[in-house]
Amino acid sequence: QEQLVESEGGLVQAGGSLRLSCTTSGRSFSTYVMGWFRQAPEKEREFVAAINWSGTSAYYRDSVQGRFTISRDNAKNALYLQMNSLRLEDTAVYYCAAHKFPFGGVRNLKNTFGFWGQGTQVTVSL
């Protein structure tokens, strides 16, 4: 059974930084596009960032470009999201995800992610 498990999120002040991790088990996702999504209260889940299987290409939503960095370590079955200059509007439950099939395109977002973590809360305060 595939599992994606996010690290504990946390409470951070606006302008601060936080790093999320996601570890996978049950199968190797080393050839899969992986990404991060988030869902704020009373809002739909939205894409945050994605990275290709080799870690050489990444794609971000506009509002996090330049503040967030996605990376991966396939040897450790791990995905990361470094979040800097956090804003109040970054408050959400963050989800780790992987494409349904290997070797996909990093910008392919529509109905392409088939494996999901349970989510971790990130709260940004004043």
Side-chain angles (χ1 to χ4, degrees), residues 6 19 35 37 39 41 49 52 70 77 82 105-107 122:
E6 297 93 346
R19 188 195 197 205
F37 289 73
Q39 187 168 18
N52 71 340
I70 188 172
N77 297 318
Q82 177 67 44
V106 72
R107 291 175 180 260
V122 173

Side-chain angles (χ1 to χ4, degrees), residues 6-55:
E6 297 93 346
S7 60
E8 187 173 346
L11 174 65
V12 62
Q13 284 191 321
S17 298
L18 191 65
R19 188 195 197 205
L20 300 180
S21 300
C22 171
T23 55
T24 66
S25 62
R27 76 157 65 185
S28 173
F29 287 98
S30 62
T31 57
Y32 290 67
V33 168
M34 296 194 70
W36 291 94
F37 289 73
R38 66 187 181 188
Q39 187 168 18
E42 301 182 357
K43 291 189 177 181
E44 291 190 355
R45 186 169 58 192
E46 64 183 18
F47 165 77
V48 175
I51 189 166
N52 71 340
W53 68 273
S54 62

Side-chain angles (χ1 to χ4, degrees), residues 55-66:
T56 57
S57 180
Y59 179 51
Y60 299 90
R61 71 178 298 107
D62 288 347
S63 63
V64 308
Q65 179 77 47

Side-chain angles (χ1 to χ4, degrees), residues 45-109:
R45 186 169 58 192
E46 64 183 18
F47 165 77
V48 175
I51 189 166
N52 71 340
W53 68 273
S54 62
T56 57
S57 180
Y59 179 51
Y60 299 90
R61 71 178 298 107
D62 288 347
S63 63
V64 308
Q65 179 77 47
R67 300 189 296 122
F68 290 11
T69 302
I70 188 172
S71 62
R72 66 191 299 165
D73 185 338
N74 288 335
K76 296 182 178 179
N77 297 318
L79 177 73
Y80 307 101
L81 185 68
Q82 177 67 44
M83 303 184 290
N84 298 330
S85 303
L86 282 161
R87 304 170 180 169
L88 296 178
E89 55 265 36
D90 294 320
T91 295
V93 176
Y94 283 72
Y95 297 89
C96 168
H99 266 199
K100 296 176 185 177
F101 304 106
F103 300 118
V106 72
R107 291 175 180 260
N108 293 342
L109 303 178

